[in-house]
Amino acid sequence: MKKYAFLFLAGGSIYSLIEILWRKYTHYSMFFAGGLCLVLLHRFCNCRYKKLPCIFRYTGGAFIITAVEFVTGVIVNLCLHLDVWDYSHVPGNIMGQICPVYTILWFFLSIPAAAFGKKVDRVFEKYAA
């Protein structure tokens, strides 16, 4: 359980930092989305489907992050009207909440995220005894 709390906090922090570097600002909802993304990505890539070829794991990671971003966007932007982001100007967007360009970016971000999760596994296994 501590491992997943650590992954959640790390994912939230990293996701928020990426937003600040990319857009110059972030929103607290991105912390929760990022935390959830890293936990789910770790479970998918390093636990449940760790024997799949990398291309499938990272594609799955990209879709997990995209799905979390979509659900977060629907809640935060469309239901709560906080207008944290709007991709409606990007070709191929879905309801202004996700777009194909970012799904491709999430594929490449899944690679170091999965590697980070493996390293966290090793650290927690080493100190669990």
Side-chain angles (χ1 to χ4, degrees), residues 33-98:
L36 181 60
C37 284
L38 188 58
V39 168
L40 293 176
L41 192 130
H42 175 71
R43 295 285 303 154
F44 182 86
C45 290
N46 299 330
C47 299
R48 177 108 187 191
Y49 297 107
K50 66 182 176 184
K51 296 189 189 248
L52 281 179
C54 292
I55 188 82
F56 295 116
R57 288 186 285 137
Y58 303 144
T59 299
F63 284 110
I64 287 168
I65 297 168
T66 300
V68 170
E69 187 176 51
F70 180 75
V71 170
T72 302
V74 167
I75 294 167
V76 170
N77 295 325
L78 302 181
C79 294
L80 299 176
H81 305 286
L82 296 176
D83 299 321
V84 176
W85 71 86
D86 180 7
Y87 296 142
S88 59
H89 64 283
V90 179
N93 79 83
I94 298 176
M95 297 170 57
Q97 303 311 303
I98 56 172

Side-chain angles (χ1 to χ4, degrees), residues 92-112:
N93 79 83
I94 298 176
M95 297 170 57
Q97 303 311 303
I98 56 172
C99 64
V101 174
Y102 285 107
T103 300
I104 294 166
L105 176 65
W106 301 143
F107 172 88
F108 291 105
L109 231 52
S110 292
I111 299 167

Side-chain angles (χ1 to χ4, degrees), residues 112-128:
F116 178 76
K118 281 184 185 179
K119 192 166 273 298
V120 168
D121 272 344
R122 285 193 295 273
V123 168
F124 273 83
E125 286 171 8
K126 182 177 179 180
Y127 295 105

Side-chain angles (χ1 to χ4, degrees), residues 12-13 15-20 23-35 72-73 75-77 80-85:
S13 299
Y15 200 94
S16 296
L17 180 62
I18 290 170
E19 281 242 308
I20 290 167
R23 300 188 321 156
K24 308 291 186 246
Y25 66 94
T26 191
H27 185 265
Y28 68 88
S29 61
M30 296 298 91
F31 180 87
F32 295 104
T72 302
I75 294 167
V76 170
N77 295 325
L80 299 176
H81 305 286
L82 296 176
D83 299 321
V84 176
W85 71 86

